[in-house]
């Protein structure tokens, strides 16, 4: 096939709470949110015998306190939206409402029962969230990767699992816009913008290297088409995905080598072999795909045979990585702890006068503020120097995921023994944060990239 050269991808790094009324049972609220798409929810945790707390948060979904909210809005969000039209800001306000009303109330049930967040995803589709980067001519909102980054962070504050599904979809949208065959691009973008097609990626293989240099999944010519054979592991969003971008090795073709190929999840020879019981991000339906002679056409190849390294680098030049989910999890953890320590959560004794808890809360707030400020600074820097996007995205992922683990762990410990009860969301935020730290690109690889950038002059001197 005629190879389409990898395009220069825009880095994309730039790229009110309802009044308190009746006290609600937030677990039942989560179950109701899921019932709208999934049928009757089988377990209502609040009514289960032995539950120590009838409701962990009597205020329902809440926005962050005014100071931190302002920091996020004026700092991180404004930096992300700096390249977007003014309508993106109005749309983000609409997103706030949907997250508070539909995403956050379902988060506990999604996590506890490892359920696909069907109703939250439907609510996000209804406001165009899955087409946020897609041009208006294809039915999308016409914003950019920066807006998508702000969106993923905001959704993650409500539910990290839902945000992970959305983030991987946005990665595929960016890849489709830049590298898909013309024959395939238009139809896919229209379906993605409507929310009829949700996409996922399949990069990892069992026992494979982090740098994806030893690919065992292979595509070979078969008649006038191609056939794929192999196994891909840790693919996120399998329940909702209708297409997946598979990283494989193309053989017996000009330009053979690592290649990305679009695969129809409902096509012949494609099977979800296993959905994992995850420690964190339990609602993401992450699992294994088996491909046995899965047929694909020439126009399903992205950019051309052997171009996967360039496409992977383009993917890592955007902020659409797990650091955004970690950032949202840290903010959500701080928001809950602030209310719990202050005695505004039923069944949780106030800790406002406990010296240790006060210091833990203050330190966590400082760290979360620094996380948002650092993320905003990276976004601003790449707006001025787009060539720095690769290193900036690596910094974003490594720092935010590690910092989120530390913040959520400390806030959980600051609650004393209550922090380790699964009736409270702090342990969920910690598990989700730990999961983001393990997701690719792995933090060790991110630090290698940062070191390469810092030492480039020394390496050039050594070569000379």
């Amino acid at each position: 096939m005629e190879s389409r050269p990898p395009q220069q991808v825009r880095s994309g790094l730039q790229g009110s709470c309802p009044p308190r009324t009746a006290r609600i049972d937030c677990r039942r609220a989560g179950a109701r949110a899921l019932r709208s798409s999934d049928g009757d929810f089988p377990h209502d945790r609040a009514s289960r015998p032995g539950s120590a707390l009838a409701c962990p948060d009597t205020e329902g979904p809440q926005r962050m306190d005014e100071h931190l909210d302002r920091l996020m809005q004026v700092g991180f969000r404004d930096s992300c939206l700096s390249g977007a039209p003014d309508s993106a800001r109005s749309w983000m306000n609409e997103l706030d409402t949907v997250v508070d009303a539909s995403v956050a109330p379902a988060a506990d049930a999604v996590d506890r029962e490892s359920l696909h967040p069907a109703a939250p995803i439907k609510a996000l589709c209804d406001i165009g969230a899955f087409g946020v980067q897609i041009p208006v001519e294809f039915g999308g909102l016409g914003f950019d990767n920066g807006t998508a980054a702000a969106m993923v962070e905001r959704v993650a504050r409500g539910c990290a699992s839902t945000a992970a599904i959305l983030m991987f979809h946005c990665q595929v949208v960016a890849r489709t816009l830049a590298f898909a065959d013309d024959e395939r691009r238009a139809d896919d973008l229209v379906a993605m913008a409507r929310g009829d097609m949700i996409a996922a990626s399949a990069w990892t293989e069992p026992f494979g290297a982090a740098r994806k240099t030893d690919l065992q999944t292979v595509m070979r010519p078969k008649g006038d088409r191609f056939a794929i054979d192999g196994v891909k592991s840790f693919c996120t969003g399998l329940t909702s995905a209708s297409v997946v971008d598979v990283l494989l090795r193309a053989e017996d073709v000009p330009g053979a080598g690592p290649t990305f190929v679009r695969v129809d999840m409902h096509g012949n020879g494609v099977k979800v072999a296993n959905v994992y019981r995850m420690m964190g991000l339990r609602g993401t339906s992450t699992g294994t795909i088996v491909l046995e002679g899965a047929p694909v056409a020439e126009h399903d190849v992205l950019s051309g045979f052997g171009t996967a390294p360039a496409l992977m680098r383009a993917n890592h030049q955007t902020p659409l990585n797990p650091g955004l989910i970690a950032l949202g999890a840290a903010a959500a953890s701080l928001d809950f702890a602030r209310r719990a320590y202050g005695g505004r959560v039923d069944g949780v004794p106030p800790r406002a006068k406990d010296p240790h808890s006060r210091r833990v809360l203050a330190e966590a707030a400082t760290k979360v503020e620094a996380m948002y400020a650092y993320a905003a600074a990276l976004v601003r820097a790449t707006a001025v120097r787009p060539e720095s996007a690769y290193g900036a995205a690596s910094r974003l992922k490594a720092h935010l995921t590690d910092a989120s683990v530390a913040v959520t762990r400390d806030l959980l410990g600051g609650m004393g023994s209550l922090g380790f009860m699964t009736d409270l969301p702090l342990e969920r935020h910690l598990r989700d944060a730990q999961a983001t730290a393990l997701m690719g690109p792995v933090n060790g690889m991110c630090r290698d990239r940062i070191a390469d950038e810092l030492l480039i002059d020394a390496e050039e001197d050594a070569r000379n």
Side-chain angles (χ1 to χ4, degrees), residues 168 200-206 231-239 244 265 271-278 281-290:
F168 283 109
S201 295
W203 293 31
T204 305
E205 296 182 348
V231 178
K232 307 300 287 190
S233 57
F234 287 94
C235 310
T236 297
L238 294 182
T239 297
V244 59
M265 282 294 294
K271 179 177 67 175
V272 176
N274 186 24
V275 174
Y276 311 142
R277 293 175 61 86
M278 303 277 284
L281 301 176
R282 291 175 171 174
T284 57
S285 57
T286 297
T288 296
I289 302 174
V290 175

Side-chain angles (χ1 to χ4, degrees), residues 304-449:
F305 299 119
T307 62
L311 272 63
M312 286 190 283
R313 183 179 179 89
N315 188 81
H316 294 157
Q317 287 176 323
T318 80
L320 295 170
N321 69 48
L324 299 171
I325 305 170
L327 187 59
S333 182
L334 175 61
D335 190 37
F336 175 81
R338 179 180 58 84
R339 286 179 276 119
Y341 288 19
R344 290 190 284 144
V345 174
D346 276 358
V348 177
R351 308 182 71 85
K353 295 184 179 180
D354 177 66
H356 173 68
S357 297
R358 290 169 61 87
R359 287 191 291 270
V360 167
L361 185 64
E363 182 67 21
T366 302
K367 288 179 179 177
V368 173
E369 291 171 3
M371 291 167 69
Y372 276 98
Y374 185 56
L378 290 174
V379 171
R380 289 194 300 271
T382 53
V384 177
R385 295 179 58 247
E387 67 274 12
S388 69
Y390 191 61
S394 295
R395 288 173 170 84
L396 187 83
K397 199 278 178 175
H399 176 71
L400 295 185
T401 55
D402 282 350
S404 183
V405 171
V407 165
T408 53
R409 181 190 62 229
D410 292 348
L411 287 171
L412 185 148
M415 288 289 296
S417 57
L418 277 177
F420 292 85
M421 298 181 67
T422 58
D423 297 85
L424 300 178
L426 287 175
E427 59 90 26
R428 164 165 54 90
H429 296 319
L430 174 58
R431 288 187 283 103
D432 288 342
Q434 289 174 322
T436 66
L438 296 172
M439 296 168 75
V442 296
N443 286 357
M445 184 185 297
C446 290
R447 292 188 175 92
D448 286 343
R449 294 170 180 169

Side-chain angles (χ1 to χ4, degrees), residues 233-314:
S233 57
F234 287 94
C235 310
T236 297
L238 294 182
T239 297
S240 55
S242 47
V243 295
V244 59
D245 282 358
V246 177
L247 175 61
L248 47 74
R249 189 175 76 255
E251 293 186 347
D252 303 328
V253 293
T259 302
F260 274 106
V261 181
R262 173 202 182 277
V263 174
D264 183 350
M265 282 294 294
H266 306 299
N268 294 330
V270 182
K271 179 177 67 175
V272 176
N274 186 24
V275 174
Y276 311 142
R277 293 175 61 86
M278 303 277 284
M279 181 185 74
L281 301 176
R282 291 175 171 174
T284 57
S285 57
T286 297
T288 296
I289 302 174
V290 175
L291 302 114
E292 297 177 331
V296 292
E298 186 171 327
H299 62 240
D300 292 316
V301 176
L302 295 167
S303 183
F305 299 119
T307 62
L311 272 63
M312 286 190 283
R313 183 179 179 89

Side-chain angles (χ1 to χ4, degrees), residues 81-106:
L81 301 185
S82 62
D86 291 342
S87 56
R89 299 180 186 277
S90 299
W91 184 82
M92 287 297 298
N93 293 333
E94 187 177 0
L95 176 68
D96 287 334
T97 301
V98 169
V99 171
D100 287 343
S102 300
V103 177

Side-chain angles (χ1 to χ4, degrees), residues 170-191:
C170 289
Q171 286 185 352
V172 175
V173 169
R175 199 155 44 242
T176 301
L177 280 165
F179 302 114
D181 183 275
D182 290 340
E183 183 179 347
R184 177 65 76 183
R185 182 190 301 107
D187 289 343
D188 279 1
L189 291 177
V190 169

